[in-house]
Amino acid sequence: MTITLKVSDKTKEQMLEFFEDFKRDKTPAYAIFQAQDGDTVVTLYESGKCVFQGKDADLASEFWIATEKLNSGNAVTTNSEDKKKEDKQKIDPKLYNSTSIGSDEVGTGDYFGPIVVTAAYVKLEDISFLESLGVKDSKKLTDEKILEIVPKVTERIKYHTIILNNKDYNEKYHQGFNMNKLKAILHNKALSTLKNENLPYDYIVVDQFAEKFVYFNYLKESTNVVRDITFVTKGEDKSLAVACASIISRYIFIKEFSKLSKDLGILLPKGAGPTVDATGVKIIEKYGIGKLNEVAKLNFKNTDKILNYNKGT
Ligand code: MG
Protein backbone atom coordinates (compact mmCIF):
# COMPACT_ATOMS: atom_id res chain seq x y z
CA MET A 1 0.00 0.00 0.00
CA THR A 2 1.21 3.51 -0.82
CA ILE A 3 -0.15 6.68 0.76
CA THR A 4 0.94 10.10 -0.44
CA LEU A 5 0.19 13.42 1.18
CA LYS A 6 1.47 16.97 1.05
CA VAL A 7 2.73 18.53 4.25
CA SER A 8 3.47 22.10 5.36
CA ASP A 9 6.88 23.38 6.51
CA LYS A 10 5.87 23.00 10.13
CA THR A 11 4.93 19.36 9.70
CA LYS A 12 8.16 18.84 7.74
CA GLU A 13 10.15 20.06 10.72
CA GLN A 14 8.24 17.80 13.10
CA MET A 15 8.77 14.82 10.82
CA LEU A 16 12.49 15.49 10.63
CA GLU A 17 12.69 15.44 14.39
CA PHE A 18 10.56 12.31 14.80
CA PHE A 19 12.32 10.28 12.13
CA GLU A 20 15.81 11.33 13.17
CA ASP A 21 16.66 7.89 14.60
CA PHE A 22 15.04 5.92 11.79
CA LYS A 23 16.70 7.57 8.80
CA ARG A 24 18.20 5.42 6.11
CA ASP A 25 21.76 6.12 5.02
CA LYS A 26 20.74 6.74 1.43
CA THR A 27 18.32 9.48 0.46
CA PRO A 28 16.55 9.45 -2.93
CA ALA A 29 16.88 12.43 -5.26
CA TYR A 30 14.96 15.52 -4.11
CA ALA A 31 14.17 13.85 -0.80
CA ILE A 32 14.97 15.32 2.62
CA PHE A 33 15.10 11.87 4.15
CA GLN A 34 13.92 8.33 3.81
CA ALA A 35 13.22 6.40 6.98
CA GLN A 36 12.29 2.84 7.75
CA ASP A 37 10.84 1.03 10.70
CA GLY A 38 9.45 -2.43 10.35
CA ASP A 39 7.49 -2.64 7.13
CA THR A 40 6.89 1.02 6.43
CA VAL A 41 9.19 3.23 4.36
CA VAL A 42 8.64 6.96 4.74
CA THR A 43 10.06 9.39 2.22
CA LEU A 44 9.79 13.15 2.68
CA TYR A 45 10.59 15.31 -0.34
CA GLU A 46 11.75 18.93 -0.43
CA SER A 47 8.47 19.83 -2.12
CA GLY A 48 6.56 18.69 0.97
CA LYS A 49 5.36 15.53 -0.71
CA CYS A 50 5.43 12.67 1.71
CA VAL A 51 5.13 9.01 0.75
CA PHE A 52 4.37 6.08 3.05
CA GLN A 53 4.93 2.63 1.59
CA GLY A 54 4.34 -0.79 3.06
CA LYS A 55 1.56 -2.92 4.47
CA ASP A 56 1.15 -0.66 7.54
CA ALA A 57 1.28 2.56 5.50
CA ASP A 58 -2.25 3.53 6.56
CA LEU A 59 -1.38 3.26 10.25
CA ALA A 60 1.98 4.95 9.78
CA SER A 61 0.49 7.90 7.91
CA GLU A 62 -2.53 8.38 10.20
CA PHE A 63 -0.71 10.46 12.77
CA TRP A 64 0.91 12.72 10.18
CA ILE A 65 -2.37 13.33 8.40
CA ALA A 66 -3.82 14.44 11.75
CA THR A 67 -0.74 16.55 12.49
CA GLU A 68 -0.91 18.27 9.11
CA LYS A 69 -4.59 18.97 9.69
CA LEU A 70 -3.71 20.64 12.98
CA ASN A 71 -0.81 22.62 11.52
CA SER A 72 -2.52 23.81 8.37
CA GLY A 73 -6.09 24.00 9.62
CA ASN A 74 -7.17 22.29 6.42
CA ALA A 75 -8.47 18.87 5.59
CA VAL A 76 -5.70 16.81 4.04
CA THR A 77 -6.14 14.99 0.79
CA THR A 78 -4.25 11.79 0.43
CA ASN A 79 -3.72 9.53 -2.49
CA SER A 80 -3.84 5.97 -1.48
CA GLU A 81 -3.95 2.74 -3.33
CA ASP A 82 -6.04 0.01 -1.70
CA LYS A 83 -6.94 2.44 1.06
CA LYS A 84 -10.64 1.71 0.81
CA LYS A 85 -10.08 -1.98 1.07
CA GLU A 86 -7.99 -1.53 4.23
CA ASP A 87 -10.41 1.00 5.71
CA LYS A 88 -12.86 -1.68 6.69
CA GLN A 89 -10.43 -2.69 9.45
CA LYS A 90 -11.22 -6.30 8.88
CA ILE A 91 -10.56 -8.83 11.56
CA ASP A 92 -7.43 -10.72 10.65
CA PRO A 93 -8.07 -14.38 11.54
CA LYS A 94 -4.35 -14.95 12.00
CA LEU A 95 -4.20 -12.24 14.64
CA TYR A 96 -7.54 -13.11 16.23
CA ASN A 97 -6.84 -16.84 16.47
CA SER A 98 -3.48 -16.58 18.13
CA THR A 99 -1.75 -16.67 21.48
CA SER A 100 -1.15 -13.03 22.27
CA ILE A 101 -0.31 -10.39 24.80
CA GLY A 102 -2.53 -7.33 24.37
CA SER A 103 -2.78 -4.00 26.15
CA ASP A 104 -5.37 -1.27 26.55
CA GLU A 105 -6.09 1.63 28.87
CA VAL A 106 -9.05 3.29 30.57
CA GLY A 107 -9.67 6.60 32.32
CA THR A 108 -7.86 8.96 29.97
CA GLY A 109 -11.09 10.76 29.05
CA ASP A 110 -12.38 11.01 32.60
CA TYR A 111 -11.62 14.08 34.69
CA PHE A 112 -12.02 12.12 37.92
CA GLY A 113 -10.24 8.90 38.69
CA PRO A 114 -6.99 7.20 37.75
CA ILE A 115 -5.58 5.94 34.48
CA VAL A 116 -5.58 2.16 34.36
CA VAL A 117 -3.49 0.20 31.88
CA THR A 118 -3.57 -3.57 31.58
CA ALA A 119 -1.66 -6.11 29.57
CA ALA A 120 -3.43 -9.46 29.24
CA TYR A 121 -2.21 -12.82 28.01
CA VAL A 122 -4.67 -14.89 26.00
CA LYS A 123 -3.79 -18.33 24.74
CA LEU A 124 -5.32 -19.88 21.67
CA GLU A 125 -7.15 -22.39 23.87
CA ASP A 126 -8.74 -19.57 25.96
CA ILE A 127 -10.54 -18.05 23.00
CA SER A 128 -13.77 -20.08 22.97
CA PHE A 129 -14.09 -19.69 26.75
CA LEU A 130 -13.73 -15.91 26.45
CA GLU A 131 -16.17 -15.76 23.56
CA SER A 132 -18.72 -17.71 25.61
CA LEU A 133 -18.46 -15.06 28.34
CA GLY A 134 -19.15 -12.32 25.79
CA VAL A 135 -15.66 -10.79 25.80
CA LYS A 136 -15.74 -10.55 22.03
CA ASP A 137 -18.09 -7.57 22.20
CA SER A 138 -16.20 -5.90 25.01
CA LYS A 139 -17.17 -2.39 23.87
CA LYS A 140 -20.87 -3.13 24.26
CA LEU A 141 -20.54 -4.48 27.80
CA THR A 142 -22.22 -2.52 30.57
CA ASP A 143 -20.50 -1.87 33.88
CA GLU A 144 -22.76 -4.46 35.43
CA LYS A 145 -21.71 -7.12 32.95
CA ILE A 146 -18.04 -6.15 33.39
CA LEU A 147 -18.32 -6.65 37.14
CA GLU A 148 -19.87 -10.05 36.53
CA ILE A 149 -17.51 -11.51 33.93
CA VAL A 150 -14.09 -10.04 34.72
CA PRO A 151 -13.55 -12.16 37.87
CA LYS A 152 -14.17 -15.21 35.68
CA VAL A 153 -11.71 -13.94 33.09
CA THR A 154 -8.96 -13.17 35.58
CA GLU A 155 -9.34 -16.59 37.17
CA ARG A 156 -8.19 -18.06 33.92
CA ILE A 157 -5.78 -15.67 32.21
CA LYS A 158 -2.61 -13.90 33.26
CA TYR A 159 -2.52 -10.12 33.29
CA HIS A 160 -0.67 -7.17 34.70
CA THR A 161 -2.33 -3.88 35.60
CA ILE A 162 -0.83 -0.51 36.39
CA ILE A 163 -2.86 2.19 38.11
CA LEU A 164 -1.67 5.78 37.83
CA ASN A 165 -3.45 7.68 40.59
CA ASN A 166 -4.41 11.32 40.20
CA LYS A 167 -1.67 12.73 42.43
CA ASP A 168 1.04 10.95 40.44
CA TYR A 169 -0.62 11.83 37.15
CA ASN A 170 -0.69 15.52 38.06
CA GLU A 171 2.92 15.44 39.14
CA LYS A 172 4.01 13.77 35.89
CA TYR A 173 1.98 16.23 33.87
CA HIS A 174 3.64 19.07 35.76
CA GLN A 175 7.02 17.58 34.80
CA GLY A 176 6.06 17.83 31.15
CA PHE A 177 4.73 14.36 30.37
CA ASN A 178 1.71 14.63 28.09
CA MET A 179 -1.13 12.12 28.13
CA ASN A 180 0.14 10.06 25.20
CA LYS A 181 3.65 9.88 26.58
CA LEU A 182 2.25 8.67 29.89
CA LYS A 183 0.14 6.09 28.06
CA ALA A 184 3.14 4.84 26.11
CA ILE A 185 5.19 4.48 29.29
CA LEU A 186 2.39 2.64 31.10
CA HIS A 187 1.62 0.33 28.17
CA ASN A 188 5.29 -0.51 27.87
CA LYS A 189 5.57 -1.23 31.60
CA ALA A 190 2.55 -3.52 31.58
CA LEU A 191 3.66 -5.33 28.42
CA SER A 192 7.27 -5.76 29.48
CA THR A 193 6.18 -7.17 32.84
CA LEU A 194 4.16 -9.91 31.14
CA LYS A 195 6.77 -10.47 28.45
CA ASN A 196 9.41 -10.99 31.13
CA GLU A 197 7.52 -14.03 32.35
CA ASN A 198 8.73 -15.75 29.19
CA LEU A 199 5.27 -16.71 28.04
CA PRO A 200 5.15 -18.09 24.51
CA TYR A 201 3.24 -15.78 22.17
CA ASP A 202 2.56 -15.13 18.50
CA TYR A 203 1.79 -11.41 18.77
CA ILE A 204 2.01 -8.48 21.11
CA VAL A 205 -0.91 -6.23 20.25
CA VAL A 206 -1.47 -2.64 21.36
CA ASP A 207 -4.72 -0.78 20.84
CA GLN A 208 -3.20 2.09 18.96
CA PHE A 209 -3.39 5.60 20.42
CA ALA A 210 -0.36 7.14 18.73
CA GLU A 211 1.46 6.49 15.52
CA LYS A 212 4.16 3.86 15.82
CA PHE A 213 7.16 6.16 15.48
CA VAL A 214 5.65 8.55 17.98
CA TYR A 215 4.98 5.75 20.44
CA PHE A 216 8.61 4.68 20.39
CA ASN A 217 9.77 8.26 20.49
CA TYR A 218 7.92 8.62 23.81
CA LEU A 219 9.89 5.64 25.14
CA LYS A 220 13.31 7.08 24.33
CA GLU A 221 14.26 7.32 28.00
CA SER A 222 12.53 4.07 29.03
CA THR A 223 14.24 0.79 29.79
CA ASN A 224 12.89 -2.64 28.77
CA VAL A 225 11.19 -1.28 25.68
CA VAL A 226 9.00 -3.93 24.04
CA ARG A 227 9.54 -3.48 20.30
CA ASP A 228 7.83 -6.41 18.59
CA ILE A 229 4.40 -4.78 18.71
CA THR A 230 1.53 -5.03 16.25
CA PHE A 231 -0.43 -1.79 16.50
CA VAL A 232 -4.10 -2.00 15.61
CA THR A 233 -6.98 0.43 15.75
CA LYS A 234 -10.23 -0.84 17.30
CA GLY A 235 -8.07 -3.51 18.88
CA GLU A 236 -10.82 -4.89 21.12
CA ASP A 237 -12.52 -6.32 18.05
CA LYS A 238 -9.40 -7.76 16.51
CA SER A 239 -7.66 -9.32 19.46
CA LEU A 240 -9.18 -10.97 22.51
CA ALA A 241 -5.99 -10.14 24.41
CA VAL A 242 -6.75 -6.45 23.83
CA ALA A 243 -10.44 -7.03 24.64
CA CYS A 244 -9.46 -8.68 27.94
CA ALA A 245 -6.98 -5.89 28.70
CA SER A 246 -9.78 -3.42 28.04
CA ILE A 247 -12.39 -5.04 30.30
CA ILE A 248 -9.92 -5.76 33.11
CA SER A 249 -8.85 -2.09 33.00
CA ARG A 250 -12.50 -1.04 33.09
CA TYR A 251 -13.23 -3.36 36.00
CA ILE A 252 -10.37 -1.91 38.05
CA PHE A 253 -11.32 1.63 37.04
CA ILE A 254 -14.91 1.07 38.20
CA LYS A 255 -13.66 -0.24 41.54
CA GLU A 256 -11.19 2.63 42.03
CA PHE A 257 -13.79 5.15 40.96
CA SER A 258 -16.38 3.98 43.47
CA LYS A 259 -13.71 3.90 46.18
CA LEU A 260 -12.99 7.58 45.43
CA SER A 261 -16.70 8.43 45.49
CA LYS A 262 -17.12 6.66 48.80
CA ASP A 263 -14.12 8.37 50.41
CA LEU A 264 -15.38 11.78 49.27
CA GLY A 265 -18.98 11.11 50.20
CA ILE A 266 -19.79 12.58 46.77
CA LEU A 267 -20.97 10.58 43.80
CA LEU A 268 -18.43 11.19 41.01
CA PRO A 269 -19.59 11.34 37.39
CA LYS A 270 -17.55 9.89 34.55
CA GLY A 271 -16.36 11.85 31.52
CA ALA A 272 -15.54 15.55 31.44
CA GLY A 273 -18.90 17.29 30.96
CA PRO A 274 -20.84 19.93 32.92
CA THR A 275 -21.89 17.52 35.70
CA VAL A 276 -18.21 16.94 36.28
CA ASP A 277 -17.68 20.69 36.75
CA ALA A 278 -20.60 20.90 39.18
CA THR A 279 -19.19 17.99 41.16
CA GLY A 280 -15.75 19.64 41.22
CA VAL A 281 -17.32 22.72 42.76
CA LYS A 282 -18.93 20.55 45.44
CA ILE A 283 -15.61 18.91 46.24
CA ILE A 284 -13.90 22.27 46.70
CA GLU A 285 -16.71 23.51 48.92
CA LYS A 286 -16.42 20.46 51.12
CA TYR A 287 -12.65 19.89 51.18
CA GLY A 288 -10.86 22.91 49.70
CA ILE A 289 -9.00 23.33 46.43
CA GLY A 290 -6.16 20.97 47.35
CA LYS A 291 -8.48 17.97 47.22
CA LEU A 292 -8.82 18.18 43.44
CA ASN A 293 -5.16 17.18 43.07
CA GLU A 294 -6.00 13.83 44.67
CA VAL A 295 -9.10 12.96 42.68
CA ALA A 296 -8.91 14.74 39.30
CA LYS A 297 -6.70 15.25 36.26
CA LEU A 298 -5.88 18.91 36.75
CA ASN A 299 -4.73 19.63 33.21
CA PHE A 300 -8.27 19.12 31.86
CA LYS A 301 -10.18 22.29 31.02
CA ASN A 302 -12.68 21.39 33.75
CA THR A 303 -10.25 22.69 36.38
CA ASP A 304 -10.46 26.28 35.09
CA LYS A 305 -14.23 26.10 34.93
CA ILE A 306 -14.41 24.77 38.48
CA LEU A 307 -12.03 27.41 39.84
CA ASN A 308 -13.77 30.23 37.97
CA TYR A 309 -17.11 29.16 39.33
CA ASN A 310 -15.75 29.40 42.84
CA LYS A 311 -14.25 32.84 42.20
CA GLY A 312 -17.58 34.05 40.85
CA THR A 313 -19.52 33.24 43.99
MG1 MG B 1 -7.83 1.85 23.71
mmCIF file of all heavy atoms in Angstrom, residues 106-114 166 253 257 269-272 297 300:
data_model
loop_
_atom_site.group_PDB
_atom_site.id
_atom_site.type_symbol
_atom_site.label_atom_id
_atom_site.label_comp_id
_atom_site.label_asym_id
_atom_site.label_seq_id
_atom_site.Cartn_x
_atom_site.Cartn_y
_atom_site.Cartn_z
ATOM 1 N N VAL A 106 -7.748 2.704 30.231
ATOM 2 C CA VAL A 106 -9.047 3.292 30.567
ATOM 3 C C VAL A 106 -8.810 4.510 31.459
ATOM 4 O O VAL A 106 -7.809 4.558 32.179
ATOM 5 C CB VAL A 106 -9.915 2.237 31.311
ATOM 6 C CG1 VAL A 106 -11.043 2.890 32.087
ATOM 7 C CG2 VAL A 106 -10.486 1.227 30.336
ATOM 8 N N GLY A 107 -9.708 5.469 31.380
ATOM 9 C CA GLY A 107 -9.666 6.596 32.317
ATOM 10 C C GLY A 107 -9.038 7.861 31.754
ATOM 11 O O GLY A 107 -9.021 8.892 32.427
ATOM 12 N N THR A 108 -8.559 7.799 30.515
ATOM 13 C CA THR A 108 -7.860 8.961 29.969
ATOM 14 C C THR A 108 -8.829 10.071 29.556
ATOM 15 O O THR A 108 -8.413 11.207 29.387
ATOM 16 C CB THR A 108 -6.996 8.572 28.752
ATOM 17 O OG1 THR A 108 -7.839 7.898 27.811
ATOM 18 C CG2 THR A 108 -5.865 7.645 29.155
ATOM 19 N N GLY A 109 -10.119 9.747 29.415
ATOM 20 C CA GLY A 109 -11.094 10.764 29.047
ATOM 21 C C GLY A 109 -11.930 11.212 30.236
ATOM 22 O O GLY A 109 -12.857 12.004 30.083
ATOM 23 N N ASP A 110 -11.610 10.678 31.401
ATOM 24 C CA ASP A 110 -12.379 11.006 32.603
ATOM 25 C C ASP A 110 -11.606 11.989 33.474
ATOM 26 O O ASP A 110 -10.442 11.742 33.816
ATOM 27 C CB ASP A 110 -12.664 9.731 33.415
ATOM 28 C CG ASP A 110 -13.499 8.734 32.626
ATOM 29 O OD1 ASP A 110 -14.686 9.006 32.415
ATOM 30 O OD2 ASP A 110 -12.939 7.707 32.198
ATOM 31 N N TYR A 111 -12.269 13.068 33.844
ATOM 32 C CA TYR A 111 -11.621 14.077 34.694
ATOM 33 C C TYR A 111 -11.292 13.475 36.060
ATOM 34 O O TYR A 111 -10.188 13.624 36.563
ATOM 35 C CB TYR A 111 -12.559 15.274 34.858
ATOM 36 C CG TYR A 111 -11.995 16.398 35.692
ATOM 37 C CD1 TYR A 111 -10.837 17.069 35.297
ATOM 38 C CD2 TYR A 111 -12.626 16.806 36.870
ATOM 39 C CE1 TYR A 111 -10.315 18.109 36.061
ATOM 40 C CE2 TYR A 111 -12.111 17.847 37.629
ATOM 41 C CZ TYR A 111 -10.960 18.500 37.227
ATOM 42 O OH TYR A 111 -10.447 19.533 37.973
ATOM 43 N N PHE A 112 -12.248 12.752 36.612
ATOM 44 C CA PHE A 112 -12.020 12.117 37.916
ATOM 45 C C PHE A 112 -11.482 10.699 37.737
ATOM 46 O O PHE A 112 -11.831 10.008 36.780
ATOM 47 C CB PHE A 112 -13.321 12.049 38.720
ATOM 48 C CG PHE A 112 -13.888 13.388 39.091
ATOM 49 C CD1 PHE A 112 -15.141 13.773 38.639
ATOM 50 C CD2 PHE A 112 -13.160 14.269 39.893
ATOM 51 C CE1 PHE A 112 -15.668 15.016 38.976
ATOM 52 C CE2 PHE A 112 -13.678 15.511 40.234
ATOM 53 C CZ PHE A 112 -14.937 15.888 39.773
ATOM 54 N N GLY A 113 -10.681 10.291 38.680
ATOM 55 C CA GLY A 113 -10.237 8.901 38.692
ATOM 56 C C GLY A 113 -8.915 8.682 37.987
ATOM 57 O O GLY A 113 -8.421 9.530 37.257
ATOM 58 N N PRO A 114 -8.338 7.491 38.233
ATOM 59 C CA PRO A 114 -6.988 7.197 37.753
ATOM 60 C C PRO A 114 -6.955 6.808 36.279
ATOM 61 O O PRO A 114 -7.988 6.712 35.626
ATOM 62 C CB PRO A 114 -6.601 5.983 38.611
ATOM 63 C CG PRO A 114 -7.899 5.274 38.844
ATOM 64 C CD PRO A 114 -8.932 6.361 38.967
ATOM 65 N N ASN A 166 -4.318 9.935 40.655
ATOM 66 C CA ASN A 166 -4.407 11.324 40.205
ATOM 67 C C ASN A 166 -3.227 12.182 40.671
ATOM 68 O O ASN A 166 -2.715 13.003 39.907
ATOM 69 C CB ASN A 166 -5.724 11.944 40.682
ATOM 70 C CG ASN A 166 -6.902 11.287 40.015
ATOM 71 O OD1 ASN A 166 -7.566 10.439 40.591
ATOM 72 N ND2 ASN A 166 -7.145 11.638 38.766
ATOM 73 N N PHE A 253 -10.935 0.211 37.022
ATOM 74 C CA PHE A 253 -11.318 1.627 37.040
ATOM 75 C C PHE A 253 -12.631 1.824 37.800
ATOM 76 O O PHE A 253 -12.748 2.722 38.639
ATOM 77 C CB PHE A 253 -11.439 2.169 35.610
ATOM 78 C CG PHE A 253 -11.758 3.631 35.551
ATOM 79 C CD1 PHE A 253 -10.760 4.580 35.696
ATOM 80 C CD2 PHE A 253 -13.067 4.059 35.361
ATOM 81 C CE1 PHE A 253 -11.055 5.937 35.650
ATOM 82 C CE2 PHE A 253 -13.368 5.420 35.312
ATOM 83 C CZ PHE A 253 -12.353 6.357 35.459
ATOM 84 N N PHE A 257 -12.903 4.003 41.072
ATOM 85 C CA PHE A 257 -13.787 5.154 40.958
ATOM 86 C C PHE A 257 -14.809 5.160 42.100
ATOM 87 O O PHE A 257 -15.065 6.186 42.717
ATOM 88 C CB PHE A 257 -14.499 5.090 39.606
ATOM 89 C CG PHE A 257 -14.988 6.401 39.098
ATOM 90 C CD1 PHE A 257 -14.123 7.301 38.505
ATOM 91 C CD2 PHE A 257 -16.330 6.738 39.182
ATOM 92 C CE1 PHE A 257 -14.570 8.513 38.004
ATOM 93 C CE2 PHE A 257 -16.790 7.946 38.690
ATOM 94 C CZ PHE A 257 -15.910 8.837 38.102
ATOM 95 N N PRO A 269 -19.167 11.707 38.742
ATOM 96 C CA PRO A 269 -19.591 11.344 37.393
ATOM 97 C C PRO A 269 -18.388 11.035 36.501
ATOM 98 O O PRO A 269 -17.292 11.532 36.731
ATOM 99 C CB PRO A 269 -20.305 12.603 36.903
ATOM 100 C CG PRO A 269 -19.717 13.718 37.681
ATOM 101 C CD PRO A 269 -19.103 13.162 38.938
ATOM 102 N N LYS A 270 -18.619 10.193 35.500
ATOM 103 C CA LYS A 270 -17.549 9.892 34.547
ATOM 104 C C LYS A 270 -17.484 10.980 33.477
ATOM 105 O O LYS A 270 -18.320 11.870 33.431
ATOM 106 C CB LYS A 270 -17.820 8.537 33.905
ATOM 107 C CG LYS A 270 -17.831 7.414 34.936
ATOM 108 C CD LYS A 270 -17.324 6.099 34.360
ATOM 109 C CE LYS A 270 -17.253 5.048 35.449
ATOM 110 N NZ LYS A 270 -18.383 4.122 35.421
ATOM 111 N N GLY A 271 -16.483 10.907 32.623
ATOM 112 C CA GLY A 271 -16.359 11.849 31.518
ATOM 113 C C GLY A 271 -15.782 13.186 31.941
ATOM 114 O O GLY A 271 -15.061 13.276 32.948
ATOM 115 N N ALA A 272 -16.113 14.228 31.173
ATOM 116 C CA ALA A 272 -15.543 15.547 31.439
ATOM 117 C C ALA A 272 -16.555 16.652 31.111
ATOM 118 O O ALA A 272 -16.204 17.742 30.695
ATOM 119 C CB ALA A 272 -14.263 15.741 30.629
ATOM 120 N N LYS A 297 -7.812 14.972 37.169
ATOM 121 C CA LYS A 297 -6.697 15.252 36.261
ATOM 122 C C LYS A 297 -6.699 16.754 35.997
ATOM 123 O O LYS A 297 -7.491 17.260 35.206
ATOM 124 C CB LYS A 297 -6.857 14.451 34.966
ATOM 125 C CG LYS A 297 -6.900 12.950 35.237
ATOM 126 C CD LYS A 297 -7.095 12.131 33.993
ATOM 127 C CE LYS A 297 -7.260 10.658 34.353
ATOM 128 N NZ LYS A 297 -8.657 10.289 34.715
ATOM 129 N N PHE A 300 -7.031 19.010 32.644
ATOM 130 C CA PHE A 300 -8.269 19.117 31.858
ATOM 131 C C PHE A 300 -8.855 20.528 32.008
ATOM 132 O O PHE A 300 -8.673 21.176 33.033
ATOM 133 C CB PHE A 300 -9.314 18.098 32.373
ATOM 134 C CG PHE A 300 -9.124 16.689 31.886
ATOM 135 C CD1 PHE A 300 -7.865 16.130 31.756
ATOM 136 C CD2 PHE A 300 -10.233 15.899 31.566
ATOM 137 C CE1 PHE A 300 -7.697 14.820 31.316
ATOM 138 C CE2 PHE A 300 -10.083 14.588 31.125
ATOM 139 C CZ PHE A 300 -8.816 14.046 31.001
#
